[in-house]
Amino acid sequence: MNIQSHLENYKVHMKAILLRVPLLFIFILFFSCKQVEPPKPVGPLPSERQLAWHDMKYYAFVHFNMNTFTDMEWGTGGEKPEQFNPTELDTRQWAKVAKEAGMTGIIITAKHHDGFCLWPTKTTEHSVKNSPWKDGNGDLIKDLSEACKEYGLKLGIYLSPWDRNASNYGEPEYVADFHAQLRELLTNYGDVFEVWFDGANGGSGYYGGANETRKIDNKTYYEWDKTHAIVRELQPNAVIFSDGGPDIRWVGTEEGWANETNWSIMKRDEIFPGWPRYVELRSGHEDGTHWLPAEVNTSIRPGWYYHSREDHQVKSLERLVRTYYESIGRNGNFLLNLPVDSRGLVHEKDVEQLMTLKTQIDKDFAKELTTSGAKISASNVRGNSSNYAAENAIDGNPETYWATDDGVVSGTLTIAFDTPTEINRLLLQEYIPLGQRVENFIVEAEVDDQWIEIDGQTTIGFRRILQFETIKATKVRVDFKMAKGPLVISNLELYRAPNFLVAPKISRDVKGMVTISVPDEEVEVYYTTDGSIPSENSTKYEASFLVNSPTTLKVIAYDSQSQMQTEPVTTYYDIPKEPWKVLTSTTGDLRKAHLLFDEDPNTYWATDSNVKTPQDVSIDLGDTYSIKGFTYWPNQDRYPTGIITNYEFFTSTNGKNWKLAAKGEFSNIVNSRLEQRVEFKSTKARFIKLRGVKVDPGASHEISGQVADFKTSYAEIGVITED
Ligand code: FUL
C-alpha cells in the first residue's frame, strides 16, 4: 500500500469514527438519563395542597371584628351589632397594603370568639346585617374576596369554633350552626386557600344572656371529621389549620418564631386542639407520621386587635426582620397580623413599618451570587446522571435537584467563586415532594486559603436561611453530615446582605452605666453628650460608660460600607438610681417596689387593687439635690392598669414635711403611653412623692382582672436635677 492509499484508508476510518461519535454520545446520554431512577421518597410526604401552601411564604392575618370597636381582645359575646360601626372601611386598602408589602394572601377573622359574623349569615342575628355599617346591607367577606381578587391575593378564613354569643353553645344545635357557617363561607366567596380553626375554647360567656361558664370536649364536640369533610367538599385545595392540622400546624408560640430544628412532619394523631404538649409544635417530630408544616403567626403590635394605646408599640424593624428570618428562614410560613383600626383601615404606622420591612428584605436578597462567576460541584452525583447534577441546585428551577446515590446519606456541595466574594446569607431548600431528610449539616468557607467553619445546623426542609458574619470567600462548602436517605437539594443561594442599619438601643443600669447596642456588629455607633447632633467624627461607642449627672445623650448608628447613618436617638439621663429606696407607700408590696426605679420601663410596680383613696409612693434619693422636675413612665403592659392621668408631685428635705411641687394632667397618656416630663421651680430635696390623683382603671379585657378605683401603677420614676 502506498502512502496515498494509506491516507485514503485513514480518511475513511476517521470519517466513520467521527460519524459515530455523536451517536455514541447520544447513546451514553440516553442511558445515563433513562436508567437512573429518582431517590425513593422518605417518610410522610406533602399533599398537593400543602405544596401550594409552602409557596405562599408570607401573608397577612387581619383581626377586625366587634373587638375593634369595644377595645377588647376577647369579647364576651354580649356586644350589640350596633357597636360595629366602621367609618371608612376599605378592604381594597388592606389588599393594596398587603400586596405592596410582598404578601400573598389575607386571612380574615370572619367570626371571632364573641360570635359576631362579618357576613350576613343565615345562622344568627349577631352579624353585620344588624349593624349600622352600610345600613345593614354590607358583606365584609364579599368585599374582601373581591379586593383580594383585584390585587392578586388569596383569601383565607378564620372561623372561631368557640362562640360566646350563641345561646345554644354547648348543645349539638350550635355545632350544626357552626357547620352551616363554614358552608356559607366556603360556598359564596370564591376560592379559599386556608381555613383557620382557633384552639382557644370554652369558658365563660354571654351565651344569649345566660352569662355562665360552659365547658365542651374540644376533641369531640365540634365533630372535627365532619368539619374537615365540609372543607374538603367545598374547597378541595384549601389547607386546614389548627394545633394539629390536619394540613398546617400552629408553631406553638405567638411571638413569631420556629425552633432552629423544625421538621415539617409530626405524630399528628397525638395532637388535638388545645394540646398541652404544644411546645413540641415549635420543632415538629423527627419521627413524625404525617406532613404537618408550621405556620408562624404573630401580630405587628402587642395585640391581635387594634388599640390606640398600642400606636407606639408597632414592632421595630429589627424585631420584624428577626421574625422573618426565624419563620421563613426556619422552614415555616409567616402569617403577620395587621390589626385593622376602628376606621376600617390598616393604620399608617403599621403600613410604614410593613414597607420598611419589605425594603429591608428586598435589600438582603437583592443579588444572588451563585448565578454568575461561580461553579458548583458535588462529592457524589446520583448515577453520575446530569438529571441529578450539582448544577440543579443553582439553576433557579424548584423542580430540579441535586441527588446522591442510594445509600449515600452524606456529602458536600461546593461553590467556587472566580474571585473572593463577600457573603453573609445562605439559603437552602430540600426537594420536599420526596420528603424532608437532612438531619445535620455544617457550612464551611475558604477564606485566604484557609477552610473555616461558619455555621452548623440541623434541619432544612422547604426553606432554611442562615445568617452569619460577612466573610470574603473563594469557596463555600455545605457538608451534609446526616440525612434520612439520599440527599435531594433543590436550591442553594448565597447573598451578601448590606449591613443592617437601624436606630441604636440605649439603656442605663442603676449604677449609671450606659450601654448602646445595634443588631449588626459591622455597624458603628457614635454619640454626643453636649446636645449636638452626632456624626462619624463624634465619640465612637466602644464599651459601656458612666453617666452620673444630668446628660442629654444623642446617638447615631453609622455604616461605613454605605456611608449612611440613622436619625439621632435622644435620651436624657440624670443622677444614678442605685442609692434610691422606697420610703413609704399607701398600699402595695414594697418588696417589689424597686421596679419603679430599675431603669426599665417594661417592668412596673403597683399599689393594691380595690383601694378607694388616691395612692402614692415616696422615695429617698439618698442625698439632697436641687430638683427641677420629674419623669414618669406609664405601665407598658399589654393590659395596663392604674396609669396615672392626674398627678401631684411633692418634695421634702426630711421625708416628713412635704411641699407640693407640681400638679396636673398627663393628657392622652392612656392612648400614648410615652415618658412624661414635668418641670417646676427648682427646689432642694432628698425625698420625692408621686400621687395618682386620678388613674385609668385599664383596658376592659377579661384577662386584665378586676377594675380597681385607685390601683396606681408606676413603670419608672425619675428626677430632673439642676446641673
Ligand atoms: C388565639 C386567639 O384566642 C386570639 O384572640 C387570636 O385570634 C389568635 C390568633 O389566636 O388563639
Side-chain angles (χ1 to χ4, degrees):
M1 229 187 263
N2 59 22
I3 292 181
Q4 192 61 34
S5 56
H6 259 300
L7 214 64
E8 280 306 312
N9 253 351
Y10 177 76
K11 274 187 188 163
V12 170
H13 201 68
M14 279 310 286
K15 213 169 164 188
I17 290 177
L18 282 172
L19 272 173
R20 272 178 207 138
V21 162
L23 279 177
L24 200 71
F25 187 69
I26 290 167
F27 182 80
I28 292 170
L29 202 72
F30 179 75
F31 275 98
S32 70
C33 295
K34 180 99 193 283
Q35 281 178 351
V36 186
E37 292 287 321
K40 291 211 168 48
V42 166
L45 303 179
S47 62
E48 281 301 320
R49 64 173 80 88
Q50 286 170 321
L51 285 172
W53 172 86
H54 277 286
D55 285 332
M56 296 283 295
K57 193 173 177 177
Y58 175 40
Y59 41 96
F61 217 167
V62 169
H63 274 67
F64 177 75
N65 206 306
M66 185 58 85
N67 294 332
T68 313
F69 302 90
T70 52
D71 206 11
M72 308 269 273
E73 280 288 310
W74 280 13
T76 63
E79 299 78 19
K80 300 275 162 274
E82 302 88 74
Q83 290 172 273
F84 183 87
N85 193 12
T87 48
E88 298 171 49
L89 178 52
D90 183 5
T91 50
R92 291 181 68 250
Q93 186 250 6
W94 312 359
K96 183 168 184 283
V97 166
K99 187 71 187 179
E100 286 173 3
M103 293 169 154
T104 55
I106 298 180
I107 301 181
I108 174 73
T109 49
K111 180 184 87 169
H112 204 248
H113 310 323
D114 59 73
F116 188 76
C117 297
L118 294 181
W119 77 105
T121 172
K122 294 197 176 86
T123 60
T124 170
E125 290 303 302
H126 199 52
S127 84
V128 282
K129 74 177 175 218
N130 291 315
S131 80
W133 177 59
K134 290 192 176 177
D135 295 326
N137 296 315
D139 181 343
L140 199 144
I141 307 300
K142 183 163 177 280
D143 290 359
L144 183 61
S145 72
E146 285 169 5
C148 282
K149 243 178 239 132
E150 183 181 337
Y151 284 92
L153 297 169
K154 292 189 180 177
L155 177 71
I157 298 288
Y158 168 114
L159 180 67
S160 170
W162 185 22
D163 189 321
R164 301 172 104 185
N165 175 263
S167 56
N168 57 4
Y169 183 79
E171 307 294 322
E173 289 74 28
Y174 167 74
V175 181
D177 286 344
F178 170 60
H179 290 166
Q181 292 173 355
L182 190 58
R183 281 193 173 277
E184 290 175 351
L185 288 166
L186 301 185
T187 307
N188 301 331
Y189 304 102
D191 286 347
V192 166
F193 83 95
E194 178 164 336
V195 181
W196 220 92
F197 292 122
D198 202 307
N201 240 299
S204 65
Y206 171 75
Y207 303 127
N211 286 314
E212 59 189 15
T213 297
R214 294 185 183 173
K215 292 231 169 346
I216 51 94
D217 181 351
N218 224 339
K219 285 189 204 164
T220 54
Y221 177 58
Y222 300 106
E223 301 178 40
W224 287 115
D225 284 352
K226 209 166 162 185
T227 310
H228 296 161
I230 294 172
V231 182
R232 296 290 192 245
E233 175 201 329
L234 300 172
Q235 297 281 345
N237 298 326
V239 286
I240 303 173
F241 168 99
S242 79
D243 287 3
D247 301 317
I248 305 301
R249 74 175 200 259
W250 181 44
V251 76
T253 166
E254 290 182 348
E255 286 165 23
W257 48 271
N259 269 350
E260 287 191 305
T261 298
N262 184 13
W263 291 96
S264 284
I265 55 176
M266 290 207 80
K267 289 181 260 182
R268 192 180 73 186
D269 294 341
E270 294 179 9
I271 310 171
F272 51 89
W275 194 44
R277 282 158 52 200
Y278 66 91
V279 287
E280 294 173 31
L281 298 169
R282 297 171 183 176
S283 45
H285 291 144
E286 186 167 353
D287 53 353
T289 50
H290 292 82
W291 195 264
L292 192 59
E295 180 183 80
V296 180
N297 67 311
T298 195
S299 186
I300 197 164
R301 293 167 176 240
W304 293 100
Y305 281 94
Y306 177 78
H307 310 288
S308 54
R309 65 177 178 276
E310 294 178 353
D311 280 351
H312 71 300
Q313 288 177 316
V314 177
K315 285 182 180 158
S316 66
L317 176 63
E318 181 190 349
R319 176 84 189 268
L320 290 172
V321 167
R322 193 166 75 229
T323 306
Y324 188 96
Y325 280 101
E326 292 181 354
S327 55
I328 290 172
R330 290 187 182 171
N331 192 27
N333 273 359
F334 182 12
L335 174 60
L336 180 60
N337 180 62
L338 309 176
V340 163
D341 66 22
S342 49
R343 294 172 301 176
L345 300 173
V346 183
H347 192 276
E348 294 77 352
K349 292 204 170 158
D350 305 39
V351 175
E352 188 188 331
Q353 208 61 329
L354 281 170
M355 298 313 156
T356 319
L357 173 64
K358 165 87 164 55
T359 309
Q360 187 63 43
I361 296 299
D362 285 352
K363 275 195 217 161
D364 281 11
F365 298 98
K367 190 170 179 295
E368 211 281 295
L369 299 166
T370 64
T371 48
S372 58
K375 283 194 186 64
I376 189 164
S377 58
S379 54
N380 168 286
V381 172
R382 187 172 184 80
N384 285 321
S385 161
S386 59
N387 278 0
Y388 306 108
E391 284 74 13
N392 291 348
I394 57 168
D395 66 357
N397 180 353
E399 292 308 319
T400 62
Y401 52 88
W402 164 64
T404 56
D405 283 320
D406 285 346
V408 179
V409 297
S410 62
T412 59
L413 273 180
T414 307
I415 305 282
F417 293 114
D418 275 356
T419 51
T421 304
E422 284 194 356
I423 52 162
N424 54 18
R425 301 283 186 278
L426 166 67
L427 186 150
L428 288 168
Q429 294 187 280
E430 290 187 75
Y431 184 69
I432 55 168
L434 293 177
Q436 185 177 350
R437 298 155 182 253
V438 174
E439 294 166 291
N440 206 321
F441 67 101
I442 62 168
V443 183
E444 298 159 301
E446 190 187 62
V447 179
D448 296 332
D449 295 327
Q450 293 270 322
W451 280 96
I452 53 167
E453 186 174 321
I454 48 182
D455 206 348
Q457 293 291 339
T458 51
T459 53
I460 295 173
F462 180 64
R463 189 189 301 101
R464 188 70 206 273
I465 307 172
L466 305 184
Q467 294 170 276
F468 43 88
E469 213 178 287
T470 308
I471 48 161
K472 202 166 191 169
T474 39
K475 285 183 186 152
V476 180
R477 183 164 64 204
V478 185
D479 190 352
F480 302 94
K481 297 281 188 196
M482 223 161 51
K484 289 179 169 185
L487 298 159
V488 282
I489 301 298
S490 72
N491 194 19
L492 182 158
E493 296 172 14
L494 287 165
Y495 297 90
R496 196 295 184 209
N499 296 343
F500 189 27
L501 190 62
V502 284
K505 276 197 195 130
I506 311 168
S507 63
R508 187 174 79 151
D509 68 14
V510 288
K511 290 189 163 67
M513 293 302 286
V514 169
T515 304
I516 310 176
S517 64
V518 283
D520 191 331
E521 282 174 16
E522 282 157 69
V523 165
E524 293 154 14
V525 170
Y526 295 91
Y527 66 92
T528 62
T529 53
D530 61 1
S532 64
I533 305 285
S535 69
E536 74 271 26
N537 301 318
S538 308
T539 312
K540 186 173 179 184
Y541 175 79
E542 309 274 7
S544 301
F545 58 96
L546 183 69
V547 172
N548 59 3
S549 60
T551 303
T552 299
L553 201 63
K554 287 192 186 286
V555 187
I556 56 156
Y558 174 78
D559 174 29
S560 55
Q561 190 204 16
S562 61
Q563 299 191 345
M564 305 262 283
Q565 65 183 57
T566 61
E567 291 289 314
V569 181
T570 305
T571 308
Y572 176 82
Y573 288 122
D574 210 288
I575 51 173
K577 298 178 180 175
E578 193 180 30
W580 293 20
K581 288 194 173 55
V582 174
L583 186 67
T584 60
S585 79
T586 38
T587 61
D589 180 359
L590 284 186
R591 282 169 304 179
K592 295 214 174 119
H594 61 276
L595 294 177
L596 64 89
F597 45 74
D598 66 349
E599 296 281 19
D600 181 1
N602 293 315
T603 61
Y604 73 93
W605 176 83
T607 65
D608 284 347
S609 300
N610 292 324
V611 281
K612 299 289 173 218
T613 49
Q615 303 288 297
D616 60 49
V617 63
S618 65
I619 298 165
D620 176 0
L621 306 178
D623 210 342
T624 301
Y625 298 92
S626 292
I627 297 180
K628 60 168 186 176
F630 78 96
T631 57
Y632 168 69
W633 266 105
N635 192 331
Q636 298 295 306
D637 249 27
R638 190 161 163 197
Y639 307 114
T641 52
I643 291 179
I644 300 176
T645 57
N646 294 66
Y647 64 87
E648 283 175 351
F649 187 81
F650 302 87
T651 59
S652 168
T653 49
N654 58 10
K656 291 188 184 91
N657 308 101
W658 294 93
K659 193 167 95 183
L660 182 69
K663 65 184 276 187
E665 180 180 6
F666 298 129
S667 43
N668 201 28
I669 188 172
V670 177
N671 284 332
S672 181
R673 291 180 290 157
L674 302 171
E675 187 183 38
Q676 309 292 309
R677 189 181 160 96
V678 174
E679 294 207 27
F680 46 77
K681 198 163 158 283
S682 176
T683 176
K684 286 242 179 297
R686 171 172 169 163
F687 303 90
I688 58 168
K689 182 190 282 181
L690 179 58
R691 173 174 296 160
V693 179
K694 266 194 197 162
V695 292
D696 185 81
S700 45
H701 187 281
E702 209 192 36
I703 297 171
S704 69
Q706 7 140 309
V707 169
D709 282 349
F710 279 102
K711 176 178 177 173
T712 304
S713 64
Y714 305 81
E716 192 72 21
I717 293 182
V719 290
I720 305 166
T721 65
E722 211 67 83
D723 250 335

